Structure formats: structure tokens, C-alpha cells
Amino acid sequence: MAEDMGSAVQAQLPGHPARDLLGHAAVVSGEGPFDDLFDDPVLRSAVGRAAGLQALAPHGVFEQRRLGLRRWEWAPYGLYAPVCADPQRTQALTDFLDRAPGRTSQVRVQLNPLCPEAGRLAQQAAARGWRVLPRETHLLDLRPGLEALRRGYHATKRNQIAKPVKVDSRIALARTEADLQPYFEVYARSLQRWGRAGAWPYPRQLFLDLLHSPAARIWTHQVQGRLACAVVMLESRHQALYWQGVSHIEPDQKPAHPMVRLMDAVIQDLCARGVPVLNLGASEGLPQVRRFKEEFGARPAGYSTLQWESAAWRWLQRLRG
């Protein structure tokens, strides 16, 4: 059942042994909170297995080989490179940007919007022939605390949260495979609504694996006994990332304002546990999603995605159309 709200060693993962890429040792973080998401061996293994990638070191770098070409990605599936809160991680990322183009055919790095070295790293990459693509996310600073944050919500959101709930409403953490079945059903209906029926962007096994990751929390909101919405949060010591959400809110569920109340519950939990920042993700081309985030107090924040491609890779892409 769902639970109500309330030095160094390189890890060897079964079936996915991580290989040292640039001679850097991995940072030891115990069982969490992790300095970086990919310090969690469960999440690292789950992402690699789901994407069909080989885990490398530094943590967060993955490799794929196809047609004799090698592709590297630091933080796939919409995740980010480290915050670089310590010199070791900053040096690892700096060295990676220097050396990767000579050792692979295609590389992609999504810099972390919280990284204080992001601007310098993007300039360094551009000077070495990388493409620097501007991106935008929304960040919510949680350090003021829950009450201050709630005062900063849009008046509509404050009223929806303060209004008594007169229908059956239950916010919980998913803990078992059975808890996730409604998530998959709502996700399938969402894909159908978007004209993408059956086109699952992530394997279902990834979500099942995340149930066992100390860096992941899957929040659900049941209204009138049915799932109305859910979100997958991934957490490190420096931030929480709203990685994915689903919703299917029927007329009899709307009086509970399911998504608003779920978002407030997540913020309440993060504040209680001292997580400093909530990254709500990108919303390019989605003005309603952007407005939803900003009505909770989140603000736009820029970052860069770095890409490097060899001549052979570009030639192959042209052949494939």
C-alpha cells in the first residue's frame, strides 16, 4: 500500500559495471541524501538499464555504442550534470569537456542550472567547438520556509489550499508495484489524449526500479478513490527535481483541486526535510504549465545544454535523414 504523507570507491552494479572514463574516482555519498543524483547506485543502474546505456565514471556519464560509433551522455532522461559544489566534481566536469571530443563520436551534457561554474563551463565548451544550446527551467527557492512560501503563492492557489475538502482525498507516497498501476493507467490515458497512444517515453521497469531508490519519491493523489495526479521527484542534497508528472482529473475530482494540493504537499515535505531548491523543469511552449509553476513562486532560470558531434556522426545522421 502507499505510505501516507506524513577518497573513493567506484560502485560495481550487477549487469552494469561502471567503467572509469577519465581516471576520476567517484565521490562517496553513503545512502543519501546524495551530493548528486547519480551517486545513488539504484538510480544510476535503473537509468542505465532503461536507456540501454553503459554506466561510466564519473557518476552520471553513460555510453552507447552503435555501428562502431560511441556516444556519451552526462545525465540522460532530462536530468542534469552535477551542481559542482566541490572542486573534485568541478574538475571532473572540466576534464570531461576537454577530453570527451577526442574519445567519442557524439557527446551531450545538460549543465545544472544551480552550478556556479555553468557560465565558465559553457564558454570553455564553446571555445573547443561544442554547440551551446540555451535552455530554461523554473526554480523555487525553498529556504524561506513553508509559511513564507505559501504567502508568496498566487491568491487563487492560496484559496484552493485553504478551502475545506468535501470529497475523499488522499495524498500518499507510492511504495509497491500495485501503487504504481494507477499511475501507468493515467499515463496511458494522457498519451492517448496527446495523440501518442502506446508511445511510452520511458520503460515501465524504470518506475518500478525507482520505488527502491532513496533518491526518488513518487507522490500520488487519490480523489474519490481514483488517482487524479502523481509526480516523480528526484532528490539530491542540493535540490529536488520534478522529473515527471501525470494527471487525469475527472469532474467529480475537481473540487479537491488535486494538482494544487499535491504540489503544496510536496513543497511542505521538502521544506520539512531541508531541501533548499525545487527545480520544476522546462516548460517551453507550454504557457499554462509555466503559469502554474510561477503561481507557486517559481522563477525562470537559464542553463545550457552542450553538444559535440564528430564529422562521422554528422555524416551518419545525414544518411539517416
Side-chain angles (χ1 to χ4, degrees):
M1 294 293 292
E3 176 181 297
D4 283 332
M5 188 190 85
S7 186
V9 175
Q10 173 57 59
Q12 297 297 311
L13 306 176
H16 291 268
R19 293 190 294 102
D20 194 324
L21 177 62
L22 300 172
H24 293 288
V27 177
V28 175
S29 296
E31 296 184 355
F34 300 98
D35 194 65
D36 179 66
L37 285 175
F38 287 105
D39 289 345
D40 173 13
V42 178
L43 185 141
R44 191 166 68 249
S45 180
V47 168
R49 182 165 46 247
L53 302 173
Q54 169 74 54
L56 306 176
H59 286 167
V61 182
F62 294 84
E63 177 183 84
Q64 182 183 58
R65 297 194 184 196
R66 181 180 297 170
L67 300 176
L69 300 178
R70 175 184 292 165
R71 179 176 71 86
W72 286 346
E73 185 164 8
W74 197 318
Y77 277 174
L79 302 176
Y80 298 90
V83 171
C84 293
D86 60 76
Q88 183 179 359
R89 290 187 190 274
T90 303
Q91 191 60 49
L93 188 49
T94 299
D95 291 349
F96 180 84
L97 296 176
D98 281 341
R99 302 179 191 178
R103 304 182 62 180
T104 186
S105 299
Q106 198 261 358
V107 197
R108 185 177 184 274
V109 180
Q110 187 155 275
L111 294 179
N112 198 302
L114 295 176
C115 176
E117 299 291 331
R120 180 185 65 79
L121 291 167
Q123 291 180 344
Q124 170 191 326
R128 287 161 174 75
W130 292 66
R131 293 175 62 202
V132 179
L133 307 174
R135 297 282 189 255
E136 184 184 82
T137 187
H138 274 73
L139 301 179
L140 178 60
D141 186 350
L142 302 174
R143 291 171 297 180
L146 179 63
E147 294 310 312
L149 289 168
R150 282 176 168 168
R151 288 194 296 270
Y153 291 178
H154 188 277
T156 301
K157 296 289 184 287
R158 292 199 304 271
N159 292 338
Q160 290 171 341
I161 293 166
K163 187 177 179 180
V165 181
K166 298 182 179 180
V167 296
D168 180 52
S169 171
R170 181 171 179 264
I171 294 174
L173 284 171
R175 290 299 191 191
T176 70
E177 183 172 347
D179 293 335
L180 282 186
Q181 188 55 41
Y183 185 101
F184 295 144
E185 293 170 359
V186 169
Y187 201 174
R189 285 198 291 269
S190 298
L191 290 171
Q192 188 173 22
R193 188 171 67 247
W194 301 331
R196 297 166 52 197
W200 283 73
Y202 311 105
R204 294 189 181 201
Q205 186 60 45
L206 174 60
F207 297 90
L208 298 176
D209 290 341
L210 290 179
L211 288 174
H212 307 289
S213 166
R217 291 189 172 212
I218 303 177
W219 290 90
T220 66
H221 191 177
Q222 298 266 350
V223 180
Q224 299 290 65
R226 306 184 308 279
L227 184 68
C229 54
V231 298
V232 180
M233 305 294 299
L234 303 178
E235 300 176 22
S236 70
R237 184 174 289 110
H238 303 289
Q239 65 173 338
L241 171 64
Y242 182 123
W243 181 65
Q244 190 187 66
V246 297
S247 66
H248 182 77
I249 301 171
E250 297 180 346
D252 66 330
Q253 297 173 313
K254 288 183 179 180
H257 305 293
M259 198 63 217
V260 173
R261 289 183 179 277
L262 179 59
M263 195 72 254
D264 180 69
V266 169
I267 291 171
Q268 180 179 345
D269 174 70
L270 294 173
C271 287
R273 292 185 296 108
V275 179
V277 179
L278 171 57
N279 183 339
L280 287 164
S283 36
E284 290 96 334
L286 300 169
Q288 289 183 325
V289 175
R290 182 186 183 96
R291 184 168 61 251
F292 179 85
K293 296 172 183 178
E294 293 180 354
E295 287 181 350
F296 278 97
R299 294 293 176 261
Y303 66 96
S304 299
T305 295
L306 311 180
Q307 291 185 184
W308 186 89
E309 298 174 344
S310 69
W313 182 272
R314 293 194 298 269
W315 176 80
L316 182 60
Q317 295 303 106
R318 286 195 298 270
L319 281 183
R320 297 176 64 185

